[in-house]
Structures are given as structure tokens and as C-alpha cells.
């Protein structure tokens, strides 16, 4: 299976912050701990091993055995579950929302990145076990972000009222979604697999957390993937000392605000805005923010008012009712896992860059941060079409209008570049400026106005000529547009829109193994895979 790579900066789809991080820009070095490499990750294991206690391992092992008790998984995953109880075992983690039927393709790429990095580390360091982890974002409450996926240009959507943590949502109503999905699938062997997978995932499980665990396990159990649900009383009991400090000292707000200010001074935008208390309260299907008003803790839109002693008692007796928000979830994860590296998308890494000094303040090792693999899947047909149209890989990533204009200029039988005429015109006006300066200085304004007018006229003529050539070469333009729209749906990265089912329908059970073979998590470039 052929693969090509492209620097992330050249794709035009990644922020300056992420590109500068990948380039190891000196200005960013104080915002992260260790840059991802095999040697740095092994050093991270030494540091994390000193921090992560035997009690934490026992609690984690016990909680995961309970979470997996009804899951039919592989020998590889069962072995990794047991290994987590051992002092020489460490995790590489990614996290993702509970998107319907995995959501966009990058769900796969995140998990494949952790699987492949664990494999690479295990080959280089035989003294430790490196275990891939998918952290389910079961406590998120943004249902509108996860209740659909795109398939063959149409949205397959789960319409229902929802509130509270999405992991607790009933799967009721998804039978109707399956029927709509099946109508688009067809009757092939691969279509039947997808239909059965959807049915077994959502119709045979009562809530979204259990359904998503089943789905991820079915897709990746052969690679020993461990799936973690943080919404667990046993795991949250390990986090209570940090929740207590958050309630009493509002420490994350202070430290994250300071570090965010340093980032913004460098010209990087704030990804997540810290609140005074970055915690939610979960109870009776509702998840709402905790707010301190004077000396009382209240829960937004709930009839809950607690004094300091009452909320600390609530924390001690019911740790499962306290839920970290996007800023505290990374700390929760690093407290309860023997984790070395977090693998995420550009937006996720951006808010991790706001957190390092907070981690230092609370005494938790800051993990290595790795940008997940980004991938464009194209078929052999697409590759040949691009070749016949003379479209290079970098040009395929251009914004569509720029791609078309470049191509028209390249293939037109007349020159559509008035740069030479502009230079000639500017030279003539330089002479006029000299004459104006020697005769009447007030004449310079009239010369300038005429120069602007004539240069603008050249721009208009060039644009009109380009439009005329587009019409003349409309067939070529349309084939170019069709090609780019096929591999960049909605003129955006394929991985952010397309569901894996589209490619599984065509390539079946070979799809995930082929991607596992192709992706290199430490490669540092955008990957184009031809299937």
C-alpha cells in the first residue's frame, strides 16, 4: 500500500501553534515537558514510575476489571488489563467523545496512533510494558456534537432530547437510526458487517458508554486496546485531593490564567477559558457547573447550595458526583493512569499547552504531548485521476479557488499573468513622480490617483481573462473540482467529516490493518494513504 507524506505546515490546515510545536520553536519550550521521541518517553516512564503509587495501580486495575466484566474481549486486551497491575507497565493515551458510530475518521487515527506508539516503544524497551488506552469522554454533555455521523454525503442523525453526561444516555431510539443507515448501505458482505456492528453496538447495550466500549473493542481488541471510563467512583476517589484543592483554592484558575497570558503574548489564541472552579456536579441525569458565591457553593440551574464543610463531606462520600471540565480532565487522567504521553488533535494539544504550570503546582508529572496521525485516504482511482490532471499532492491541499486559478494559469495557451505589465506601468509612474517633484509637488496626488486607477484596471483585466479561460476550460475545471471534492468533502479535511463506514464498505476487514501498517506516530508529517 503506497503512502506519501507532507509537512503539516504545507497542508494549510494546521494552526501556527501546532506547526511551531512540531518545529520545536524555542518560544514554546516552556509550555511542554518533553518533546515526543522514544528516548524522551522512556525518560518519562522513569519520572512517572516514581509518582504513580501501588494504591493507584490497584484501584485502576480493580476499576477496569469491573468495567470489562461484561465485555467479550481478546486475549491481548485481557493480558494488558493484568499488566496494568504491574509496576513496569505504562500507558499511552488518547481520548475522544462518544460520537455515534465513531463519528469522523480521526477517531480511528487517534487509536491507531496509540497502538503503534506502544508497539514502537515495546520494541525499543523490553523492560517495560506499554499499553494503548482510549479514554471515553463519558462525562461530556455536548450531545449535539456527537449525535450524528456523515455517510456518503448525508447526515445519519440521532434525534432526541438529552441532558447530563452523555455516557449515561439511554440508547433508546437508535433502532430507527439503524433502519435509515441500512437503507444507504446496500446488501454486500461489508454492508452486512456494518449493519450488524451498529445493531450489536447500540441495540444490545442500554447506555452510550457501554455501547461505545463495545464498538471500540470490536474494532481494536486484536491490538490489546484498553478502554477507560473515568466516570467511576473508585477512580474518582483517587482524584479527591485535587478536587478539594480546586474547591478551596481555585488553583487551576490562577495558574492556567497566568500561563494562558504568556501564550497569548506570543500571539497564540486561548483554546479554553478557565473558570474560577473548573468542576461540574453530576446527579439525577444533570451535569452543571459548580460556582462559589460568597461562602456557599451552588450548582448552576440546580437547587443545590452547600457550605464548605457540606461540599467537602459530599466529596468524601460521593466522589462520583464531581466531574472535571475540559481543563481539569487532563489532570484527572494523569492522576489515575500510569500515563506517559497524550495523543490528540491540534485543538486538544492547544489546551494542554495552557496547563503545564498548573500540573507543576499540584505535583503531577506533565505528559509528553504528541499530535495524532492525520491521514488522507485516496483510492487508486483518485491517484490516477490526479496524475492525469497533473495535480501534485501539495496542490491538492490548496483552497479550491486557488487550486483552479493555478491550474488555469498553467494550462492556458495564453499568458494570464500581468506582472510584467504592472512592473512596466510602475516604472512609467516613477518617471512621472520625478517630473511632478521638479515642477509642482501638488501634482503628485494626481499622479498617485492615476497610478492606482490603472493598476486596478490591470487587476480587473487579469481577473476577467482568468474567468474567460475558466469558461473555455470548464470541462478540465469540473474534473479538477470533482477530484478535490471527493477527497476533501465539504472542502475540508476528509478525516474531520467522513465516517469509517464509507471506506469499510469498499475495503472491508483490510481497512484497519492497512492503516495500522501505514501510520507512524513519531513521523511528524501528514500521511496520504492510497488503498
Amino acid at each position: 500500500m503506497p503512502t506519501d507524506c507532507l509537512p503539516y505546515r504545507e497542508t494549510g490546515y494546521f494552526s501556527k501553534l501546532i506547526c511551531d510545536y512540531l518545529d520545536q520553536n524555542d518560544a514554546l519550550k516552556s509550555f511542554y515537558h518533553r518533546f515526543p521521541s522514544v528516548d524522551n518517553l522512556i525518560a518519562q516512564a522513569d519520572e512517572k514510575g516514581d509518582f504513580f503509587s501501588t494504591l493507584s495501580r490497584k484501584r485502576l486495575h480493580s476499576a477496569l476489571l469491573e468495567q470489562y466484566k461484561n465485555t467479550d474481549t481478546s486475549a491481548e486486551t485481557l493480558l494488558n488489563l493484568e499488566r496494568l497491575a504491574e509496576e513496569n507497565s505504562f500507558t499511552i493515551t488518547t481520548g475522544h467523545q462518544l460520537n455515534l458510530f465513531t463519528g469522523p475518521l480521526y477517531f480511528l487515527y487517534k487509536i491507531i496512533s496509540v497502538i503503534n506508539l506502544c508497539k514502537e516503544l515495546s520494541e525499543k524497551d523490553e523492560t517495560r510494558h506499554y499499553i494503548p488506552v482510549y479514554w471515553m469522554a463519558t462525562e461530556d454533555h455536548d450531545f449535539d456534537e456527537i449525535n450524528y455521523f456523515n455517510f456518503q454525503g448525508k447526515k445519519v442523525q440521532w434525534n432526541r432530547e438529552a441532558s447530563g453526561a452523555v455516557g449515561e444516555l439511554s440508547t433508546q431510539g437508535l433502532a430507527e437510526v439503524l433502519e435509515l443507515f441500512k437503507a444507504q448501505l446496500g446488501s454486500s458482505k461489508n454492508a452486512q458487517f456494518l449493519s450488524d456492528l451498529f445493531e450489536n453496538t447500540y441495540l444490545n447495550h442500554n447506555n452510550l458508554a457501554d455501547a461505545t466500549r463495545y464498538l471500540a473493542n470490536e474494532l481494536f481488541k486484536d491490538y490489546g486496546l484498553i478502554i477507560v471510563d473515568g466516570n467511576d467512583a473508585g477512580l474518582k476517589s483517587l482524584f479527591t485531593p485535587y478536587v478539594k484543592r480546586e474547591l478551596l483554592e481555585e488553583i487551576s484558575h490562577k495558574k492556567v490564567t497566568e500561563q494562558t497570558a504568556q501564550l497569548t503574548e506570543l500571539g497564540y489564541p486561548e483554546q479554553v477559558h478557565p473558570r474560577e472552579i473548573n468542576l461540574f456536579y453530576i446527579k439525577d441525569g444533570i451535569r452543571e457547573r459548580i460556582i462559589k458565591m460568597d461562602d456557599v457553593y451552588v450548582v448552576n440551574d440546580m437547587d443545590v447550595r452547600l457550605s464548605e464543610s457540606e461540599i467537602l463531606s459530599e466529596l468524601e462520600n460521593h466522589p462520583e458526583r464531581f466531574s472535571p471540565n475540559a481543563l481539569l480532565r487532563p489532570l484527572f487522567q494523569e492522576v489515575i493512569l500510569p500515563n506517559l504521553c497524550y495523543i490528540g488533535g491540534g485543538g486538544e494539544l492547544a489546551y494542554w499547552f495552557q496547563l503545564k504550570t498548573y500540573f507543576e503546582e499540584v505535583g503531577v508529572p506533565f505528559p509528553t504531548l504528541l499530535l495524532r496521525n492525520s491521514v488522507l485516504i485516496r483510492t487508486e482511482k483518485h491517484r490516477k485521476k490526479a496524475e492525469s490532471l497533473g495535480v501534485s499532492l501539495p496542490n491538492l491541499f490548496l483552497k479550491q479557488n486557488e487550486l483552479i486559478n493555478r491550474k488555469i494559469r498553467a494550462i492556458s495557451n495564453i499568458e494570464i499573468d500581468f506582472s510584467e505589465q504592472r512592473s512596466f506601468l510602475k516604472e512609467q509612474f516613477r518617471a512621472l513622480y520625478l517630473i511632478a517633484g521638479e515642477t509642482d509637488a501638488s501634482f503628485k496626488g494626481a499622479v498617485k490617483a492615476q497610478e492606482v486607477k490603472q493598476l486596478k484596471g490591470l487587476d480587473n483585466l487579469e481577473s476577467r481573462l482568468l474567468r474567460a479561460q475558466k469558461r473555455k476550460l470548464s470541462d478540465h475545471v469540473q474534473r479538477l473540482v470533482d477530484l478535490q471534492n471527493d477527497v476533501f468533502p465539504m472542502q475540508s479535511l476528509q478525516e474531520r467529516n467522513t465516517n469509517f463506514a464509507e471506506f469499510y464498505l469498499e475495503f472491508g476487514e483490510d481497512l484497519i490493518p492497512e492503516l495500522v501498517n501505514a501510520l507512524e506516530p513519531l513521523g511528524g508529517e501528514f500521511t496520504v494513504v492510497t488503498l
Side-chain angles (χ1 to χ4, degrees), residues 247-386:
L247 291 168
L248 298 181
E249 302 176 44
E250 301 180 2
I251 191 167
S252 67
H253 179 260
K254 298 171 187 174
K255 289 298 176 182
V256 174
T257 298
E258 291 171 4
Q259 185 152 336
T260 302
Q262 295 171 19
L263 272 171
T264 55
E265 284 175 11
L266 294 171
Y268 303 113
E270 176 185 64
Q271 185 71 17
V272 181
H273 184 70
R275 299 184 181 277
E276 283 74 13
I277 295 176
N278 291 285
L279 293 166
F280 288 90
Y281 186 78
I282 297 179
K283 190 177 181 182
D284 300 329
I286 297 175
R287 181 178 185 250
E288 287 289 346
R289 289 192 296 117
I290 297 173
I291 304 167
K292 189 175 183 181
M293 301 177 65
D294 298 324
D295 293 327
V296 177
Y297 294 88
V298 301
V299 179
N300 191 48
D301 290 337
M302 290 180 69
D303 187 22
V304 176
R305 296 177 61 85
L306 301 168
S307 67
E308 182 179 297
S309 62
E310 287 171 334
I311 201 166
L312 294 180
S313 176
E314 181 82 345
L315 174 62
E316 182 69 25
N317 295 319
H318 298 285
E320 73 278 3
R321 293 179 182 174
F322 293 81
S323 174
N325 73 355
L327 277 176
L328 255 64
R329 189 187 305 118
L331 182 71
F332 178 36
Q333 168 194 299
E334 294 302 313
V335 166
I336 68 172
L337 291 176
N339 195 52
L340 308 180
C341 176
Y342 184 80
I343 298 180
E348 290 175 281
L349 297 197
Y351 69 72
W352 277 89
F353 289 132
Q354 297 176 238
L355 298 175
K356 182 168 174 278
T357 54
Y358 170 52
F359 271 69
E360 292 170 347
E361 179 68 24
V362 296
V364 177
F366 195 69
T368 300
L369 303 176
L370 177 61
L371 184 68
R372 65 168 173 81
N373 282 120
S374 276
V375 183
L376 173 68
I377 299 175
R378 61 177 179 175
T379 63
E380 183 63 23
K381 178 181 175 183
H382 286 135
R383 187 195 66 77
K384 288 181 177 178
K385 188 174 182 181

Side-chain angles (χ1 to χ4, degrees), residues 3 14 19 30 55 135 149 179 182 185 193 199 223 225 230 288 305 314 328 383 420 426 433 452 513 519:
T3 60
F14 293 83
C19 292
S30 64
L55 173 62
W135 178 285
F149 62 94
E179 291 306 310
K182 286 169 68 174
L185 279 173
F193 170 85
E199 180 174 351
Y223 302 95
L225 181 70
E288 287 289 346
R305 296 177 61 85
E314 181 82 345
L328 255 64
R383 187 195 66 77
E420 185 177 336
K426 287 179 179 179
Y433 282 123
V452 170
L519 303 190

Side-chain angles (χ1 to χ4, degrees), residues 48-78:
K48 188 72 178 198
D50 293 338
F51 167 80
F52 201 67
S53 69
T54 301
L55 173 62
S56 295
R57 283 193 182 275
K58 288 181 178 178
R59 291 268 184 89
L60 175 64
H61 181 246
S62 175
L64 289 178
L65 288 179
E66 179 66 22
Q67 290 184 19
Y68 267 86
K69 68 180 182 181
N70 296 320
T71 302
D72 181 18
T73 191
S74 66
E76 290 82 358
T77 293
L78 292 174

Side-chain angles (χ1 to χ4, degrees), residues 18 150-151 185 314 415 481 506 513 528:
I18 293 304
N150 296 314
F151 181 72
L185 279 173
E314 181 82 345
E415 185 67 36
V481 167
E506 184 170 357
V528 179

Side-chain angles (χ1 to χ4, degrees), residues 128-287:
R128 297 184 177 95
H129 302 300
Y130 295 94
I131 298 170
V133 167
Y134 160 45
W135 178 285
M136 295 194 296
T138 54
E139 295 179 73
D140 281 1
H141 56 250
D142 295 320
F143 181 68
D144 289 342
E145 293 183 5
I146 68 165
N147 69 343
Y148 70 94
F149 62 94
N150 296 314
F151 181 72
Q152 296 180 339
K154 297 179 181 179
K155 182 179 280 190
V156 180
Q157 188 162 355
W158 180 20
N159 293 309
R160 57 160 293 173
E161 294 295 321
S163 64
V166 294
E168 299 174 356
L169 284 178
S170 164
T171 53
Q172 186 175 2
L174 281 167
E176 291 83 355
V177 178
L178 173 59
E179 291 306 310
L180 293 172
F181 184 37
K182 286 169 68 174
Q184 298 181 54
L185 279 173
S187 57
S188 68
K189 176 186 173 183
N190 292 338
Q192 189 59 52
F193 170 85
L194 291 168
S195 175
D196 292 345
L197 180 62
F198 191 102
E199 180 174 351
N200 291 332
T201 295
Y202 296 109
L203 275 59
N204 294 342
H205 295 89
N206 294 325
N207 61 60
L208 198 53
D210 289 345
T212 305
R213 180 184 289 106
Y214 174 85
L215 177 58
N217 180 69
E218 285 299 298
L219 293 175
F220 293 105
K221 63 184 177 183
D222 291 343
Y223 302 95
L225 181 70
I226 300 294
I227 301 157
V228 176
D229 181 356
N231 192 11
D232 181 290
L235 295 178
K236 285 189 175 181
S237 66
L238 294 170
F239 193 54
T240 54
Y242 304 91
V243 174
K244 183 177 180 180
R245 284 197 71 180
E246 178 70 8
L247 291 168
L248 298 181
E249 302 176 44
E250 301 180 2
I251 191 167
S252 67
H253 179 260
K254 298 171 187 174
K255 289 298 176 182
V256 174
T257 298
E258 291 171 4
Q259 185 152 336
T260 302
Q262 295 171 19
L263 272 171
T264 55
E265 284 175 11
L266 294 171
Y268 303 113
E270 176 185 64
Q271 185 71 17
V272 181
H273 184 70
R275 299 184 181 277
E276 283 74 13
I277 295 176
N278 291 285
L279 293 166
F280 288 90
Y281 186 78
I282 297 179
K283 190 177 181 182
D284 300 329
I286 297 175
R287 181 178 185 250

